[in-house]
DNA sequence: CGAATAGTTGAGGACTATCAAAAGTGGTGG
DNA sequence: CCACCACTTTTGATAGTCCTCAACTATTCG
């Protein structure tokens, strides 16, 4: 996704949440930024750092993760093009988690003081960005439930469903099937399972024809069946606002 | 906590994040509200509802939870006096989770359109509230890691540590010990475990002298030992901003 | 004081983890 | 274009954490 498209998509997203006027739109469009490439596995934010900028994903995919004292990793969310990835990093003090690229992509980097100026002069834009954070929080709540209360098959099915819908929204996939960009080890870290168990669980889902795998391309023969098996209810994504 | 104290505490909290001017403070103090009592177990927000107000906890404790399709409950966070509990309920469309009282308390209910008016006319206040949401999101991320990657002893120890620190901040406890307000069943739903296993885990922690229990009063003989055992690092609470 | 709620204990089973190794995939350089 | 190396996926065997079911005890509150 090139920059102008990402910016316009962001404005459209804001307008689904808050009624903007022309001056709001102009202010968003005139945010200063620099476009940068990032490679797979590159860190965009490191836990403990003091970021002074905010980042909009233009293309590619990133994930956020934390590491326990023992060194176990937990992936806590995935971000797609159009998402802001470190508003928190810049409004809070120290980054409390890592942001890392899943695959190569591009980002627009905006100095944090410019974002603050924007939201102080255009409060409706600020409110729209706040809603972004509220939706993120809702997704985290669902993830807490996912890893806390669902058995492995549902847990993985749920992640596949969420990924499908969010990629679909970013016009990068459909719920019929998509290129799944995570290794099984990463999927394990997102699900709170071991890679070995993820592998067995995927095979179990495939044996029931809930998914079909070819390399890392996943086909979903019957979306509703996978959705229902996984207990996936997209209300928490607040897609009417996305 | 009576209302004025809660309101002033809230303003103080905002000022730790954003420099407010006198007009900002006046605007916050003049928010219209009604004070209501709530009883233990009472629902403040129900999943699927369309709230038209926002709620500030004045006293008492509440928790947020979600329920899977199979009926299993997952508690996703705890809130203490001074916290706003359903900003999301009012800026988003439908509530995506439940908010329920842990113990009796009081809340100030503010009409949502008044909150919107406040943040549109006083963007710095809006930014401070936004930071509230960002801190919440950080806590959710930690909870994802807690239930996803920590074994039962650490998981429960971590919840006890977070509770202690947050109650301490609300001037309701100290890390030396406190009245723990959850049943073991609720603790189980927060930890993603069964009540039986929570019971055994608590006894195991007690056997190691990491905690001492008398009824529901918990004493922590050695805070640093419990903290280290649990992998509790309070950075994620962003207490400098709270 | 009695009913309801909460906490405790035991036995057995299920789900997931661990350890180890083989097989497949992808990229790189000679 | 093939050999090679690193990474990823797959498989088997075994272990362990945590769950289920069930009953009993303690506490709380009307």
């Amino acid at each position: 996704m090139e920059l102008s498209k990402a910016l316009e998509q962001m404005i459209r997203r804001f307008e689904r949440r808050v009624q903007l006027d022309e001056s709001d739109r102009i202010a968003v469009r005139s945010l200063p930024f620099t476009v940068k490439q990032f490679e797979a596995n590159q860190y965009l934010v490191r836990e403990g750092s003091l970021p002074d900028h905010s980042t909009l994903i233009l293309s590619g995919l990133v994930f956020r993760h934390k590491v326990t004292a023992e060194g176990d990793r937990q992936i806590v969310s995935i971000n797609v093009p159009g998402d802001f990835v470190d508003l928190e990093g810049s409004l809070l003090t120290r980054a409390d988690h890592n942001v890392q690229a899943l695959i190569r992509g591009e980002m627009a980097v905006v100095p944090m003081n410019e974002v603050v100026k924007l939201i102080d002069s255009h409060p409706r834009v600020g409110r729209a960005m706040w809603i972004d954070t509220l939706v993120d929080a809702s997704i985290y709540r669902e993830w807490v439930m996912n890893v806390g209360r669902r058995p492995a098959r549902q847990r993985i099915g749920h992640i596949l469903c969420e990924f499908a819908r969010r990629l679909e929204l970013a016009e990068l996939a459909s719920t019929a099937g998509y290129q799944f960009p995570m290794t099984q080890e990463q999927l394990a870290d997102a699900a709170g399972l071991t890679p070995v168990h993820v592998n067995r669980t995927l095979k179990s889902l495939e044996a029931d024809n809930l998914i079909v795998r070819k390399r890392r391309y996943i086909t979903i023969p019957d979306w509703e069946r996978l959705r229902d098996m996984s207990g996936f209810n997209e209300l928490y994504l607040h897609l009417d606002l996305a």
Side-chain angles (χ1 to χ4, degrees), chain A residues 16-188:
Chain A
R16 232 165 295 166
R17 302 168 175 173
V18 172
Q19 189 160 20
L20 302 183
D21 66 20
E22 192 52 27
S23 80
D24 293 329
R25 280 188 287 270
I26 290 171
V28 172
R29 287 203 190 91
S30 57
L31 269 179
F33 58 84
T34 53
V35 174
K36 289 189 186 163
Q37 306 266 342
F38 55 81
E39 294 302 317
N41 301 315
Q42 181 182 325
Y43 276 80
L44 308 198
V45 180
R46 274 192 190 271
E47 180 172 349
S49 67
L50 296 158
D52 59 353
H53 58 268
S54 198
T55 306
L56 175 68
I57 302 298
L58 302 176
S59 64
L61 295 167
V62 305
F63 63 100
R64 299 157 184 270
H65 73 270
K66 304 192 67 147
V67 178
T68 66
E70 285 73 30
D72 294 319
R73 180 174 68 166
Q74 175 70 46
I75 293 177
V76 297
S77 75
I78 305 294
N79 285 100
V80 301
D83 289 346
F84 263 112
V85 297
D86 58 345
L87 287 172
E88 57 283 321
S90 16
L91 287 174
L92 304 178
T93 38
R94 285 187 182 279
D96 52 69
H97 66 289
N98 305 284
V99 181
Q100 196 175 358
L102 202 49
I103 58 172
R104 163 191 314 180
E106 284 183 316
M107 57 184 168
V109 178
V110 186
M112 194 52 209
N113 61 338
E114 295 292 341
V115 176
V116 169
K117 278 203 302 205
L118 171 65
I119 63 185
D120 274 2
S121 58
H122 296 267
R124 285 184 298 268
V125 175
R127 204 163 88 233
M129 292 175 109
W130 182 5
I131 291 175
D132 228 66
T133 308
L134 288 167
V135 173
D136 280 352
S138 172
I139 296 173
Y140 289 131
R141 285 191 287 272
E142 184 72 25
W143 279 52
V144 173
M145 182 163 85
N146 199 41
V147 296
R149 281 296 182 221
R150 281 197 265 258
R153 279 166 53 101
Q154 289 188 34
R155 212 183 284 188
I156 289 176
H158 197 278
I159 292 172
L160 297 179
C161 286
E162 179 181 314
F163 224 125
R165 283 295 280 135
R166 293 181 65 190
L167 287 178
E168 188 170 58
L169 207 76
E171 294 168 20
L172 295 171
S174 86
T175 50
Y178 59 98
Q179 184 68 34
F180 188 73
M182 300 177 97
T183 65
Q184 290 180 15
E185 186 175 8
Q186 289 166 333
L187 184 52

Side-chain angles (χ1 to χ4, degrees), chain A residues 198-216:
Chain A
V198 164
N199 182 269
R200 292 182 169 128
T201 305
L202 285 172
K203 288 167 69 69
S204 151
L205 294 176
E206 195 165 26
D208 291 350
N209 204 37
L210 285 159
I211 60 171
V212 178
R213 297 181 299 153
K214 227 181 227 121
R215 302 286 158 82
R216 286 203 198 143

